[in-house]
């Protein structure tokens, strides 16, 4: 179960406007799947970073980062903006948000509509299906 | 399978596929060995934007497979890393029938006549191993023409700086996009000549295959309409049609087989099979040609030591694997008021060759051009301004508002080779077959970085003259440069003392052992090198066919 802090932070990294936020677009599930598979090694540093964010929130008088109002969240976030774990998390969030839907986020390629990218493929945004025997850890997937 | 071959060609990429065709059509019996498998849009065209040959964030879309094929990479600070095929530092070539020609953008450049004589034109910078090619543009020109017509290039005669041509291109050039006219006007303001770059893609139906459908994910993926002309859908098909060429996929070369006198007799192969069912066998032939790319061709020579050549075949002068080079790509992005990108692939529409030579105070230069359509995830990783936060609405709105308003100019810098940039055999790390893996080390020559900076300025000036609101782009740091367009590790030459092969790619001291791929390039040109690899492939395999 992803922590409330994790979900809240993702939605400040990619906030909602007239287009979906990170979690509405499935970015949390995309990142958790990468961490669970071992393809990305930043889970530990992210967990420590989230704890740090909660501490900062508690110093500011909130029970946790998720409980703070968005404007406070953004102020707290500025304090960790230069850290490696936060930059890695922004990178992963963008990967999920802007990659093809087959990667688990970005349903209906909605971010591509937002930015005006046209895939132009006869099969749809993911192209032909992945080859199942190869699209797995150690073969073509890290 | 027959065991009686005139020639074994290792590697079914740009040059290897051509060698198989030329030899088989000349009546020779050929075995073409390929580590990868047959791939097509149908079985490998899945658009994974995070695992492809343009962005390998969490994997890749052809072999080598992620596990079992490590390399050792020594970074610019001297730190050693075990790297997997999708990692930075691996310097990967696609492992598949056709190799990169299945996935490439297919820019189809002839090198400039002076690209063949860099030493004569500029002298030898201290610490470099800069040499001239042993052949001239004029000697290669008819072979360039053969590659343009037999593989299939779309283009027009607009390059006022190119060497002499005796024939046009078989197909009309690519169409423009909204940025093209702006960039052309900007170039005109600066007195820069421009034209539509030649490309190995069908712009009209040709050779029994359709034209490009202008999808938005060209380079890095197999083509949905099979309009990219690679070796897998042209010359390799011709080779197989002769009935004299056999292809073994999923098969690696363990070593070059030699007899007691150290003479080459064939190749020791490992057929990967499925699971762990490896089948090892020796296949003999009258000649062996290595077309496995600059890293793997060098590795094979190094891994095939004999009593008389204890450091590898052709390596008694310690030259095999040295001068590893590729292309630095200085890149400048520019933001326009209007929408300038429309996702219509391939995306390269305008180039200049005015800066390939004659740049004050630096060695050589680069062809400069706009680029292929950027996948959204790649745009986010590479094209955002340095001062833009990577979080919050500012980042999101930049993507929303400007993905279609950013264009870029970039180009491959003709590098000054350095002997310390090299492939050696690691002495401890082995791959899944028990072969010692390549170890890659060295840092690009400082003169290359000076040319990179000069080309960066040219690209920036071009964009600024084209009406951009702002431009940005970081100068790349010093590092080994062989990730794009690896070359140079088995350089050819007239002088046995300073080259690995003769001017036809024959390894000195070996009457029947040849290299044919970018390993031979003494320098790697100021352009994408594949048409040169193909032209050399036609020339060198035609020579071999006459000898056999």
């Amino acid at each position: 179960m992803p922590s409330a802090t994790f979900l809240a932070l993702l939605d400040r990294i990619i906030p909602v406007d007239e287009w979906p936020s990170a979690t509405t677009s499935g970015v949390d599930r995309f990142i958790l799947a990468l961490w669970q598979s071992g393809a990305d090694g930043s889970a530990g540093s992210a967990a420590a970073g989230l704890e740090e964010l909660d501490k900062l929130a508690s110093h500011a008088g909130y029970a946790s980062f998720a409980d703070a109002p968005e404007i406070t969240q953004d102020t707290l976030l500025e304090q960790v903006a230069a850290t490696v774990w936060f930059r890695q998390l922004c990178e992963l969030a963008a990967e999920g948000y802007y990659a093809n839907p087959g990667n688990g986020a970005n349903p209906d390629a909605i971010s591509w509509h937002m930015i005006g990218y046209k895939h132009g493929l006869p099969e749809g945004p993911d192209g032909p299906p992945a080859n199942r025997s190869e699209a797995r850890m150690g073969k073509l997937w890290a | 399978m027959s065991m009686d071959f005139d020639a074994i060609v290792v590697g079914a990429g740009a040059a290897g596929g051509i060698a198989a065709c030329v030899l088989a059509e000349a009546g020779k019996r050929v075995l073409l060995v390929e580590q990868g498998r047959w791939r097509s849009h149908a079985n490998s065209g899945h658009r994974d934007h995070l695992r492809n040959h343009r962005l390998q964030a969490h994997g890749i879309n052809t072999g080598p497979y992620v596990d079992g094929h490590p390399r050792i990479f020594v970074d610019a600070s001297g730190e050693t890393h075990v790297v997997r095929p999708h990692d930075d530092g691996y310097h990967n070539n696609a492992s598949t029938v056709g190799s990169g020609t299945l996935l490439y953008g297919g820019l189809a450049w002839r090198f400039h006549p002076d690209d063949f004589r860099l030493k004569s034109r500029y002298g030898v910078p201290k610490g470099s191993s800069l040499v001239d090619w042993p052949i001239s543009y004029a000697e290669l020109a008819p072979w360039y023409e053969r590659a343009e017509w037999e593989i299939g290039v779309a283009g027009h005669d607009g390059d006022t700086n190119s060497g002499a041509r005796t024939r046009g291109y078989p197909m009309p050039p690519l169409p423009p996009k909204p940025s093209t006219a702006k960039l052309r006007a900007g170039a005109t303001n600066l007195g820069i000549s421009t034209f539509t770059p030649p490309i190995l893609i069908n712009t009209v139906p040709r050779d029994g295959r359709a034209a490009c459908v202008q999808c938005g994910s060209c380079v890095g993926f197999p083509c949905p309409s099979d309009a990219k002309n690679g070796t897998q859908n042209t010359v390799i098909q011709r080779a197989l049609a002769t009935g004299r060429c056999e292809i073994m996929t999923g098969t690696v070369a363990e070593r070059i087989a030699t007899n007691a006198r150290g003479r080459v007799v064939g190749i020791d192969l490992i057929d990967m099979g499925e699971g762990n069912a490896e089948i090892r066998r020796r296949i003999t032939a009258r000649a062996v040609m290595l077309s496995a790319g600059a890293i793997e061709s060098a590795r094979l020579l190094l891994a095939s030591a004999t009593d008389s050549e204890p450091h590898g075949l052709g390596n008694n002068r310690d030259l095999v694997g040295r001068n590893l080079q590729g292309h630095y790509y200085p890149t400048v992005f520019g933001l326009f008021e209007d929408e300038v990108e429309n996702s219509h692939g391939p995306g390269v529409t305008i180039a200049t060759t005015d800066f390939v030579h004659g740049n004050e105070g630096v060695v050589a230069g680069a062809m400069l051009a706009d680029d292929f359509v950027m996948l959204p995830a790649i745009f986010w990783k590479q094209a955002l301004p340095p001062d833009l936060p990577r979080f919050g609405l500012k980042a999101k709105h930049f993507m929303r508002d400007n993905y279609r308003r950013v264009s870029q100019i970039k180009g491959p810098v003709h590098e000054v080779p350095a002997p310390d940039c090299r492939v050696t055999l690691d002495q401890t790390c082995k791959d899944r077959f028990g072969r010692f893996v390549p170890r890659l080390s060295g840092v690009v020559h400082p003169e290359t970085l000076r040319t990179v900076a000069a080309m960066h300025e040219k690209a920036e000036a071009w964009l600024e003259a084209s009406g951009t609101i702002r431009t940005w782009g970081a100068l790349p740091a010093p590092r080994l440069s062989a990730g794009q367009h690896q070359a140079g590790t088995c350089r050819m030459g007239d002088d046995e003392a300073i080259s690995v092969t003769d001017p036809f790619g024959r390894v000195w001291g070996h009457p029947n052992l040849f290299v044919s791929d970018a390993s031979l390039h003494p320098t790697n040109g100021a352009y994408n090198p594949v048409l040169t690899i193909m032209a050399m492939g036609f020339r060198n395999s035609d020579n071999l066919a006459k000898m056999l």
Side-chain angles (χ1 to χ4, degrees):
Chain A
M1 187 65 192
S3 77
T5 304
F6 176 62
L7 298 175
L9 177 58
L10 284 178
D11 280 349
R12 296 322 297 156
I13 290 174
I14 304 178
V16 67
D17 51 7
E18 69 272 33
W19 299 92
S21 73
T23 61
T24 309
S25 204
V27 167
D28 50 326
R29 294 192 305 277
F30 163 81
I31 294 175
L32 290 172
L34 273 183
W35 283 343
Q36 277 156 16
S37 73
D40 181 272
S42 65
S45 61
L50 292 172
E51 269 183 44
E52 174 67 21
L53 258 190
D54 277 338
K55 269 188 206 155
L56 291 171
S58 103
H59 294 325
Y62 297 95
S64 76
F65 178 80
D67 290 329
E70 285 176 359
I71 189 163
T72 308
Q73 288 178 338
D74 287 349
T75 310
L76 297 172
L77 190 152
E78 290 290 347
Q79 297 179 46
V80 300
T83 60
V84 173
W85 73 266
F86 180 73
R87 285 156 61 180
Q88 286 176 330
L89 193 61
C90 291
E91 194 84 15
L92 292 178
E95 285 179 6
Y97 196 82
Y98 294 111
N100 58 306
N103 261 294
N106 194 22
D108 302 322
I110 191 163
S111 72
W112 298 357
H113 294 290
M114 174 179 92
I115 68 174
Y117 170 71
K118 297 186 279 291
H119 61 79
L121 292 165
E123 303 88 351
D126 292 308
N131 181 328
R132 281 188 187 188
S133 67
E134 289 192 311
R136 60 181 174 82
M137 303 273 295
K139 284 214 161 183
L140 295 177
W141 288 26
Chain B
M1 189 184 72
S2 161
M3 302 295 270
D4 172 32
F5 293 100
D6 293 308
I8 301 172
V9 179
V10 180
I18 286 168
C21 176
V22 169
L23 292 167
E25 289 187 347
K28 312 303 175 192
R29 293 191 47 77
V30 187
L31 175 64
L32 181 57
V33 177
E34 170 55 45
Q35 174 180 2
R37 47 174 283 190
W38 284 100
R39 292 181 185 275
S40 63
H41 180 69
N43 72 18
S44 302
H46 181 59
R47 259 43 180 186
D48 189 331
H49 285 211
L50 304 176
R51 297 174 187 85
N52 59 76
H53 274 268
R54 205 65 167 176
L55 176 59
Q56 308 176 358
H58 307 293
I60 204 166
N61 59 341
T62 72
Y65 287 147
V66 167
D67 286 350
H69 303 88
R71 284 179 181 163
I72 301 296
F73 172 59
V74 184
D75 69 22
S77 67
E79 195 175 332
T80 297
H81 308 266
V82 181
V83 287
R84 297 171 296 170
H86 66 289
D87 289 331
D88 286 345
Y90 194 87
H91 300 80
N92 197 4
N93 269 352
S95 167
T96 174
V97 178
S99 188
T101 75
L102 176 76
L103 311 160
Y104 59 12
L107 286 172
W109 297 103
R110 297 182 179 202
F111 285 0
H112 187 279
D114 277 1
D115 283 5
F116 296 86
R117 46 187 300 279
L118 236 50
K119 176 186 173 187
S120 296
R121 178 154 180 174
Y122 297 96
V124 181
K126 194 179 168 199
S128 84
S129 48
L130 188 62
V131 288
D132 291 341
W133 283 49
I135 63 170
S136 66
Y137 172 81
E139 197 171 342
L140 202 54
W143 304 103
Y144 272 131
E145 184 177 306
R146 195 169 165 190
E148 286 162 353
W149 283 80
E150 293 190 30
I151 312 296
V153 175
H156 68 126
D157 291 334
D159 184 359
T160 53
N161 299 303
S162 85
R165 305 178 56 88
T166 54
R167 197 179 182 191
Y169 292 102
M171 291 178 284
L174 293 165
K177 61 185 177 183
S179 57
T180 316
K182 292 180 189 294
L183 291 168
R184 189 182 300 116
T188 304
N189 287 343
L190 297 176
I192 300 171
S193 71
T194 58
F195 58 99
T196 312
I199 199 159
L200 285 142
I201 290 177
N202 285 355
T203 50
V204 292
R206 184 171 188 266
D207 196 22
R209 285 176 290 105
C212 168
V213 294
Q214 295 207 277
C215 81
S217 48
C218 177
V219 63
F221 296 94
C223 176
S225 61
D226 206 14
K228 277 188 203 177
N229 299 312
T231 55
Q232 78 288 343
N233 56 7
T234 58
V235 282
I236 294 175
Q237 299 300 330
R238 279 168 52 187
L240 297 174
T242 65
R244 288 183 291 274
C245 174
E246 292 187 39
I247 183 165
M248 289 179 71
T249 59
T251 302
V252 298
E254 183 173 22
R255 54 179 283 135
I256 301 158
T258 45
N259 64 16
R261 289 175 292 119
R263 180 175 168 141
V264 173
V265 298
I267 293 278
D268 289 333
L269 297 176
I270 309 172
D271 181 345
M272 287 188 257
E274 276 303 307
N276 291 316
E278 291 168 9
I279 304 160
R280 289 166 192 260
R281 58 184 147 189
R282 172 166 295 187
I283 298 192
T284 56
R286 293 162 61 205
V288 167
M289 182 176 267
L290 307 181
S291 298
I295 294 170
E296 290 295 326
S297 287
R299 189 196 66 78
L300 254 179
L301 290 171
L302 295 172
S304 305
T306 62
D307 289 345
S308 53
E309 293 173 292
H311 306 293
L313 294 185
N315 197 31
N316 279 358
R317 288 172 301 280
D318 189 24
L319 288 170
V320 172
R322 290 192 181 274
N323 308 308
L324 179 62
Q325 58 200 286
H327 281 130
Y328 260 74
Y329 268 84
T331 302
V332 181
F333 298 97
L335 177 64
F336 288 86
E337 190 83 43
D338 301 328
E339 293 185 10
V340 291
E341 295 289 334
N342 59 11
S343 302
H344 289 172
V348 182
T349 64
I350 187 168
T352 183
T353 53
D354 284 3
F355 306 119
V356 164
H357 290 286
N359 302 294
E360 202 180 328
V362 298
V363 177
M367 176 280 296
L368 296 178
D370 58 354
D371 202 19
F372 295 89
V373 174
M374 294 188 92
L375 302 183
I378 295 180
F379 186 96
W380 197 93
K381 285 173 182 281
Q382 297 177 4
L384 297 182
D387 55 355
L388 181 79
R390 266 44 177 179
F391 57 90
L393 284 175
K394 275 187 186 166
K396 189 180 185 185
H397 289 169
F398 190 93
M399 289 293 290
R400 182 193 67 188
D401 298 338
N402 297 324
Y403 175 75
R404 289 157 298 161
R405 290 186 168 84
V406 172
S407 194
Q408 60 180 305
I409 296 292
K410 67 195 336 178
V413 165
H414 198 161
E415 296 184 357
V416 172
D420 291 343
C421 292
R422 64 188 302 202
V423 181
T424 55
L425 270 193
D426 194 71
Q427 296 305 304
T428 53
C429 182
K430 292 180 176 180
D431 67 11
R432 57 172 282 198
F433 308 107
R435 304 180 302 173
F436 286 119
V437 306
R439 177 185 180 90
L440 312 176
S441 60
V443 177
V444 72
H445 192 277
E447 280 298 325
T448 295
L449 295 172
R450 281 166 28 81
T451 309
V452 168
M455 293 302 102
H456 193 273
E457 281 181 22
K458 301 292 186 191
E460 194 170 61
W462 183 3
L463 279 166
E464 284 172 358
S466 305
T468 50
I469 301 166
R470 65 172 293 202
T471 60
W472 62 92
L475 276 175
R479 54 171 168 76
L480 183 67
S481 173
Q484 197 144 12
H485 307 157
Q486 58 181 254
T489 53
C490 306
R491 59 165 46 168
M492 58 178 182
D494 291 315
D495 181 354
E496 195 170 338
I498 57 167
S499 56
V500 174
T501 82
D502 76 8
F504 282 99
R506 179 160 59 175
V507 176
W508 292 113
H510 288 273
N512 62 342
L513 177 60
F514 296 79
V515 177
S516 185
D517 58 30
S519 307
L520 297 178
H521 296 184
T523 64
N524 206 26
Y527 306 84
N528 309 62
V530 76
L531 195 77
T532 300
I533 297 168
M534 289 172 167
M536 291 277 291
F538 276 112
R539 171 183 173 271
N540 294 351
S541 47
D542 179 78
N543 176 66
L544 175 57
K546 285 172 180 152
M547 290 172 60
L548 285 174

